[in-house]
Amino acid sequence: MGRASVAAFAILSGYVNALKPIKQTRAGNTDAALSGIAKSAFRRTGRFVLPAMVATLLSWLLCQFGGYRLASVVDSAWIRDTSPRPSTSFAAAFYDLFANMITTWTDGGNEYDKIQWTLTYLLRGSMLVYLTLFATAYLQPKYRMLAYGIMFLYYWAGGEALIGINIYAGLLLAELSLDPAVHNYVSEHQYLFSVNSFFLMVIGLFFMSYPEENPEWARWSMTLYNLGNHLFPYGSETPRFYPALGTILLAFGINFNSTAKRVLSNTYLCWMGKVSFGIYLLHAPLIRTLLTWMLYGLSSQPRGIKDSLENDISSDWIPLTHRWMVVVVVPVFYVLLYRIAHLWVLHVDPWCGRVTNWVEEQVFREDAKIEKPLLLA
């Protein structure tokens, strides 16, 4: 579900960041919308980059103090491959930290937290949202939606299923959710939309389950693979297109299904959404430390043998202490993960916001600091 999660982040980025500017432009407050877009683009960078830097710093500290020592020799290939080794010297450690904080945003590379490779694309996607909103601010809503559709087809034809099509799907969803004509039509045909949206969600979940590799192992996935050869552009990544398309269908289905929206508005589910970015940043380091220690045992000693170039020449990886421990440990780990993410939201995110606001106060012109009242019609 990792690829579907990235698609969901991109769709929500387009949807959430577009709601306020679209409301303002529809109300005739275009100047206020443009001002808000400029400020939001600046704030977005700080509130996106700073939490990632803090997460990298924490992972770097864990690495340098041997927190990933056990993870580098367990029998899980993913845990081993994502567990960096300590730097060779004190100076090299700080150089590695600085270098990885930079490459996270240049080419997606971060040895201390490899799952951060998506962040540079998500940040570019956010800037694409603001650029599109700026360029279409004076268009009539129907032509703005037409522009979103054209850009969606442009990225589809280019085989860009990571960010492009998801961003414009989110923008289109935001526009539709604020359109009075759409609301009236849906209210007049509630039963029809309830049934159709249900099927959209089911098909979306089905597409989202497409495997990242080896689709030939099951008939249903092989059928989707053959369909994708006709549906998607030549040479595109089918394992990325299906989760993206499925997530888009799921999002549109939820938007037009009152029951689904009511269920997903549950207090606990909203809280899980609130801590989702913290979960994204923290889950990999915690898997390589806390979960690994719980599953493999802190007393386990690495048995892997290294050659002179630090290459692994032994497959004698440390196994699980007991397989039944997974049933007990994994639920406990998730409770701890969400608790830690909650603390992150309470303390780290507000700090990043304060730093961003302080920088804004230092660099913005005086007239830009004044929030003009909005004259909503």
Side-chain angles (χ1 to χ4, degrees), residues 313-325:
I313 58 175
S314 172
S315 59
D316 191 18
W317 307 118
I318 296 176
L320 288 170
T321 50
H322 298 284
R323 292 192 179 277
W324 60 265
M325 283 288 290

Side-chain angles (χ1 to χ4, degrees), residues 149-163:
I150 292 173
M151 293 305 298
F152 178 92
L153 293 175
Y154 168 80
Y155 281 102
W156 181 285
E160 211 290 86
L162 177 62
I163 296 297

Side-chain angles (χ1 to χ4, degrees), residues 54 339-355:
V54 174
R339 177 57 182 168
I340 295 171
H342 180 66
L343 294 175
W344 177 281
V345 170
L346 289 179
H347 301 288
V348 178
D349 282 348
W351 177 81
C352 294
R354 289 193 297 270
V355 172

